[in-house]
Amino acid sequence: MRNRISGLLNKVVLLGLLATLAISANAQDKRLRLGIYGLNHDHILGFFNYMKSGKANVVGVYEPSRELWEKYKKRYKLPDSLYFNDVHKMIKATKPDVMLGYNAVAKHVDIVEVCAPLHIPVMVEKPLAATLEQAKRIEVLANKYKIKVLVNYETTWYPSFQYIHDMVGQDSIGKIRRMVIRDGHSGPKEIGCSPEFLAWLTDPVLNGAGALNDFGCYGADLATWLMHGQRPIAVTAIAKHYKPQVYPKVEDDATILVEYPTATASIEASWNWALNIKDMEVWGETGVIHAFNGQRVQLRTPKEETKFTLIHEAKPIPAPNNDPLVYLTAVLRGEISGEGDQASLPYNMIAMEILDAAKRSIQEGKRIVLQP
């Protein structure tokens, strides 16, 4: 009997110890508590992969479509306890540190409408909004409630693009005179985007445009970053509709010329490229740097006109600027300010001005001068 009682006591002690360790582990979990708003943007796959690897702590998912939730639940073996069809209930139950927006671009403003009064910061997938009016509403709410609103671009984490930015900052090629930024692929339908993604991506209201918004936003943001937040003086744009049978509602190709007092940016956005492309050339007074993709770069100067500098791999970007989740954590914990970054709200407001002016230029068939 004594041995039996002793055994029971040992089990109780062991269970208590395990409970204490579990509580301690939870208390020491330094990961952000992530709330997800929407699942109809295919880039959500990245954060679910973070979650699968243990890097991300997703505490709740709001998605109006139960069918869409079931699709992701099955793919990632997600527990039903994560799912909510009411965002207010999700926030109350899970208390997220930040909300991640993976819904239609025109609905990004809805996320901020919900989260700003609750002082919950927001990070959305690019671009910031479908229209400049929506972006201005987001800006008003962010400033009123003093929350961070960030925008996630894939190119933010490209070592090659960071290399260009750093080399320009070191005056390696003199003052910037021309930027040529190309982004896109053969088309969202052609590359196999999900039906839920295609439904809004090819809608002029829900996406705000077609390829112009989808890929023009990269160039608008990158040019703003390279010009250190300088607003352009004018924008001229043209749009093409090469595949009306595939994309009947929106343009599938756009070229945007952005004028600054001392430089120009040519932004080439398309769903008609022969191959996937995220490419940037920056021409200065004394040379040119060309990023061919996220890693490969080449620097050329007049001394090397007859022999090109070998294309090389850019060095990895040091943390916390090398990864969206690491970056987001550092900004929200005050380890870095996030000001002057590609993800920052002020820079994205300028990017939205560029996109808005481009649409007006196409509609009116003229150069649009921006008001000071």
Side-chain angles (χ1 to χ4, degrees), residues 105-152:
V105 173
K107 303 294 184 180
H108 287 174
V109 66
D110 297 347
I111 306 174
V112 184
E113 292 275 9
V114 170
C115 292
L118 300 173
H119 302 285
I120 299 172
V122 173
M123 184 169 77
V124 298
E125 284 296 294
K126 59 81 191 171
L128 174 61
T131 66
L132 182 58
E133 289 71 27
Q134 292 170 7
K136 287 179 177 177
R137 177 60 181 156
I138 289 172
E139 183 181 41
V140 167
L141 288 165
N143 290 336
K144 179 179 179 180
Y145 293 102
K146 296 179 173 31
I147 67 162
K148 288 284 187 182
V149 174
L150 302 170
V151 183
N152 184 29

Side-chain angles (χ1 to χ4, degrees), residues 308-328:
F308 293 0
T309 302
L310 291 177
I311 297 169
H312 67 277
E313 300 283 315
K315 292 180 180 179
I317 304 172
N321 296 304
N322 61 330
D323 174 279
L325 185 55
V326 175
Y327 174 84
L328 177 63

